[in-house]
Amino acid sequence: MKTHNIVLLPGDGVGPEVTDAARLILAAVSDLWGHDLRTSVKLIGGVALDETGEPLPQATLDACLKADAVFLGAVGGPKWDGHERRPEEGLLGLRQAMGLYANLRPVEVTPQGAVRSPLKADVVKGVDLLIVRELTGGAYFGEKTREADRATDLCAYSTHEIERVARVAFRAARERRGHVTSIDKANVLETSRLWRETVTRLAHTDFPDVELEHVLVDAAAMRLIQKPRAFDVVLTENMFGDILSDEASILSGSIGMLGSASLGDGGPGLFEPIHGSAPDIAGRDIANPIGAILSVSMLLHYGLGLIDEAEAVRSAVTAVLASGRSTADLGGWESCSAFAWAVAQALRNTRTAALHGRLMHWG
Ligand code: IPM
Ligand code: MG
């Protein structure tokens, strides 16, 4: 039996709670499919700062680089405001050190899910889009300066950085509805003009079968809530992707619903819910674990190549939601842990039914 080593980074705020949910689902998958999924826990973010003085301790980075996949809960919180080192540095450093330049954030709205969105059900029904966010460039990683009364964050992109993430988007589009919307601010920013030229050239040379359109980021923010079904794959730079993915999460009802996969060229991927540390609700067992559980599904799929298992986890989430159970952010009553247990149970039911069906077939 192949052993898969998974590093868990619970981090701060609700991170540990949703990581417990992730761990429960990983244990259920190990158990039901007979895989050897081994988890180990490491420090990152604010808790790492408190314990070691570093937001990304060397021991954590070493373990992540050696792992088959990494799961992260969340980092950050007001407790570390004003500190010289910030918890977020740990996550950014990890993304950079692991070479994770492509961040995949899928947003799907099922017919039952449509009624949970604060937007009209008619608008969000049937939304199925994938945000491909560049993750290791732009203003996040450019040179920073700070004086008493002036500060700068350099936004820089090279054609190489643009091309490699655009390839991820075009390939994803081929597996989906064949459409890429590239989002930039080419009417103002030089980096956006380079972005647009590079993406256009790559589309012509390598992906003529994929339909490409360019939309300015302000118009895209509007279209995302006006006509969200118009999007298939959304390709964008780091900061626009950060902002638009929070906006897009509301289509599916709550930011607690979205998982993500951060991938590079080979090497382990990093899988994390997009919701962040939510310090206002931390420690109360009321966070929505769906983003974490869907991140586990992506970890199984992209990280370990366990496609059937990944699909079964997604279906189990859908089944529990369809049964009417949900967490507080969706207007429901389930705690984080109770919802995760329900998903684990649904997984058990479908797996047992599938095995039973196969035995019947053989019989
Ligand atoms: C995200 C988060 C992070 C980001 C923060 C925590 C640094 O908002 O993953 O979307 O800005 O990338
Ligand atoms: Mg964000």
Side-chain angles (χ1 to χ4, degrees):
M1 193 195 305
K2 187 166 184 285
T3 302
H4 298 283
N5 290 307
I6 301 163
V7 171
L8 301 177
L9 306 172
D12 310 316
V14 297
E17 299 160 48
V18 301
T19 303
D20 281 345
R23 196 198 322 242
L24 184 74
I25 302 304
L26 286 169
V29 169
S30 289
D31 198 26
L32 294 167
W33 275 266
H35 295 307
D36 187 12
L37 305 181
R38 296 202 189 160
T39 56
S40 58
V41 178
K42 294 281 178 281
L43 292 171
I44 195 164
V47 282
L49 261 179
D50 289 350
E51 279 198 33
T52 71
E54 291 288 327
L56 177 61
Q58 190 64 42
T60 298
L61 179 57
D62 290 346
C64 291
L65 291 170
K66 275 196 296 211
D68 293 305
V70 181
F71 175 92
L72 179 130
V75 293
K79 180 176 170 201
W80 299 279
D81 282 352
H83 279 223
E84 198 192 324
R85 315 277 314 263
R86 292 198 56 96
E88 288 80 358
E89 247 184 78
L91 174 57
L92 299 179
L94 186 64
R95 288 172 178 170
Q96 191 172 42
M98 292 175 74
L100 307 172
Y101 60 81
N103 180 221
L104 275 47
R105 301 186 161 185
V107 184
E108 275 173 57
V109 185
T110 58
Q112 309 97 304
V115 296
R116 286 189 303 261
S117 173
L119 295 172
K120 291 198 179 90
D122 273 355
V123 174
V124 298
K125 199 168 51 189
V127 163
D128 178 7
L129 61 88
L130 173 70
I131 297 176
V132 178
R133 168 188 175 194
E134 201 289 327
L135 204 59
T136 51
Y140 272 58
F141 291 93
E143 194 198 336
K144 295 177 189 300
T145 65
R146 179 68 192 260
E147 294 155 33
D149 57 355
R150 208 180 116 82
T152 64
D153 299 275
L154 180 72
C155 179
Y157 269 108
S158 68
T159 49
H160 167 69
E161 287 173 310
I162 300 166
E163 250 179 52
R164 61 184 184 176
V165 70
R167 274 185 202 286
V168 173
F170 283 122
R171 289 200 193 108
R174 275 186 177 153
E175 305 291 314
R176 297 170 49 95
R177 301 192 298 282
H179 190 279
V180 171
T181 307
S182 176
I183 294 173
D184 60 39
K185 187 71 184 171
N187 53 347
V188 177
L189 301 176
E190 207 51 53
T191 39
S192 280
R193 289 193 265 273
L194 182 69
W195 182 279
R196 197 176 275 220
E197 281 163 30
T198 307
V199 172
T200 304
R201 192 170 53 240
L202 185 69
H204 283 146
T205 54
D206 292 19
F207 301 92
D209 52 314
V210 177
E211 208 184 320
L212 170 66
E213 76 173 321
H214 302 278
V215 180
L216 295 173
V217 63
D218 46 355
M222 187 173 61
R223 204 206 282 182
L224 207 46
I225 49 170
Q226 208 170 36
K227 276 177 69 181
R229 278 189 298 272
F231 295 101
D232 178 15
V233 175
V234 171
L235 165 66
T236 193
E237 66 94 49
N238 202 347
M239 189 149 77
F240 296 161
D242 179 46
I243 298 167
L244 293 176
S245 56
D246 271 28
E247 187 191 1
S249 74
I250 295 306
L251 302 169
S252 62
S254 149
I255 194 169
M257 305 286 284
L258 259 55
S260 84
S262 303
L263 308 171
D265 290 322
L270 172 67
F271 303 87
E272 47 169 320
I274 80 152
H275 52 61
S277 61
D280 49 327
I281 60 162
R284 293 163 56 195
D285 195 23
I286 58 168
N288 184 342
I290 294 179
I293 296 174
L294 293 179
S295 300
V296 166
S297 170
M298 296 179 91
L299 182 154
L300 295 167
H301 184 130
Y302 297 104
L304 308 180
L306 302 174
I307 316 278
D308 290 348
E309 292 82 338
E311 193 45 47
V313 170
R314 271 163 46 92
S315 309
V317 170
T318 309
V320 175
L321 284 172
S323 76
R325 304 176 71 169
S326 67
T327 41
D329 55 324
L330 299 172
W333 299 100
E334 300 296 336
S335 65
C336 178
S337 51
F339 193 91
W341 275 101
V343 174
Q345 189 55 46
L347 200 55
R348 213 168 290 280
N349 294 344
T350 43
R351 177 68 176 154
T352 317
L355 288 176
H356 186 66
R358 203 176 303 164
L359 288 176
M360 299 274 284
H361 184 67
W362 286 340

